[in-house]
Amino acid sequence: MDNLQNKLIKNFKEKGLAEYPLEWLGNYRLDAINAAESLGVPDLSNEDWRFTSLKEFIKKDFSFFDGKAETYNKPKLPEHIKSIDGYFVYMHNGQLVSDSDYPFSLTRLNDSFEDLKVKEILLNEVSSKNKDFFYELSCAFIDDGFFLKLEGSNRLDKPIVIINSFDSDVDSKFVNTRNIFYFEESSSAEIIEYSVSESVNEFFLNKTSIVYVDQNARVEHLLVEDGNKNSFIFSNLKIVQGRDSHFTTNSILSGGQLIRNNVHPILNGEGCFSNILGLYLSSEDQLMDNYMFVEHLKPHCESTQLYKGLLNDESRGVFHGRILVHKEAQKTNAYQTNRNLLLSDKAQVDTKPQLEIYADDVKCSHGATIGQIDKEALHYLQARGINKDKAMLMLIKAFTDEVCEPMESEVLLEAFHNIVNDWFVKSELLEPENQE
């Protein structure tokens, strides 16, 4: 039987995806499938994948999902998500199903290929770095997803809340989706992306988001993967920043059997700031692989990375953080921190911080820690009359809360705390009545 790579390439050819009325798009897809075939599914000999084996994954029998959402019922959401006062955008099985009016432009991606800005974004990529098999696969099968544009100087009064739901129609399927965000000069927005799955069966989600943050624009982003623990999720988030722009992204990962979370900020304008935050919450036999690639192209920019892992049972975590400072990017400040807390003797984590610097006037640092609950701190709290379970919870919450401290949006901060508390309850670290 063909492995997954060969099967998907065969699906591409059978669907005739390179044969498209827009010649540039057909060529784009064809170049991408050729690149994917050349690269191949990464194995442990690939330095960027040295801690995550896909040997069993490529034996899976996933086939390309090209169904349409004929009927759609809004998914059941936690109260702390559905009660948010925001502009709700609904995606179902990788396809845009919202039909509301918004104070921003929102169209299906496959209805936007004739838009010159979409063509420019896809064809004129700022960086050729950090392209692996799954990114090229996303380009080859590009069709579903959306194009969201916020006009210049427009500052949204409430967050965009994107709900990604999946049902049994995608069981044993490969779902490919691409979202493009374009925030014009001096615009401002907050985004919450929340993924939920009604199915308990296996599926393969390959998702890519490209975020363009133009000159002097400000965007704060919260991504939550809280879906099916039998799913395989490969996520690419690429951010291109213009001069004096500010971008913050915070990821909370709790769903998925295997998650590959690839975040690639490209600081492409002087004076821009990028804040990359994340919390991976793993249990049972989950594997969460985080690959951060922060690329400084221009001078006088600053980036910070803070990723934390909370690992229970027999789960595994990976953090590979890379900072690349190009020769032109003088006066760069770049900081990277990874901290991990193991709640079980059988949980494990691999961490690899990495600096690659070609400029000579920079301030860069990195650090990583792996440990268990601090026994001295635990004893200190118990000596003051706090029982052991509550004392442990206080230390764990202090550990997770640091990840959200750089965030400015009160709405996103509240969502962060509610989502993490919800995981504490599900993991039996916190009683439901004690969530406050």
Side-chain angles (χ1 to χ4, degrees), residues 46-74:
N46 185 320
E47 190 65 22
D48 294 338
W49 289 80
R50 60 177 295 192
F51 301 116
T52 298
S53 172
L54 300 178
K55 185 176 180 180
E56 295 302 316
F57 169 73
I58 62 174
K59 296 178 183 178
K60 303 289 184 180
D61 191 26
F62 297 115
S63 58
F64 177 54
F65 175 74
D66 60 356
K68 300 300 177 186
E70 301 295 342
T71 59
Y72 170 70
N73 296 313
K74 291 182 180 179

Side-chain angles (χ1 to χ4, degrees), residues 296 298-302 325 328-333 359-363:
H296 285 260
K298 303 295 183 182
H300 301 283
C301 294
E302 181 173 337
V325 182
E328 184 183 344
Q330 303 293 341
K331 302 293 184 180
T332 286
N333 294 330
D360 53 20
D361 187 4
V362 302
K363 293 180 181 178

Side-chain angles (χ1 to χ4, degrees), residues 129-171:
K129 305 288 187 182
N130 192 22
K131 292 184 178 182
D132 63 9
F133 172 82
F134 295 98
Y135 177 76
E136 296 293 0
L137 197 67
S138 166
C139 297
F141 284 88
I142 188 170
D143 193 57
D144 289 330
F146 62 69
F147 174 46
L148 186 154
K149 183 172 70 172
L150 181 63
E151 292 184 356
S153 301
N154 193 337
R155 298 175 180 269
L156 295 183
D157 59 338
K158 52 188 178 180
I160 303 168
V161 184
I162 301 167
I163 304 299
N164 296 292
S165 63
F166 302 90
D167 62 19
S168 58
D169 286 349
V170 299
D171 289 355

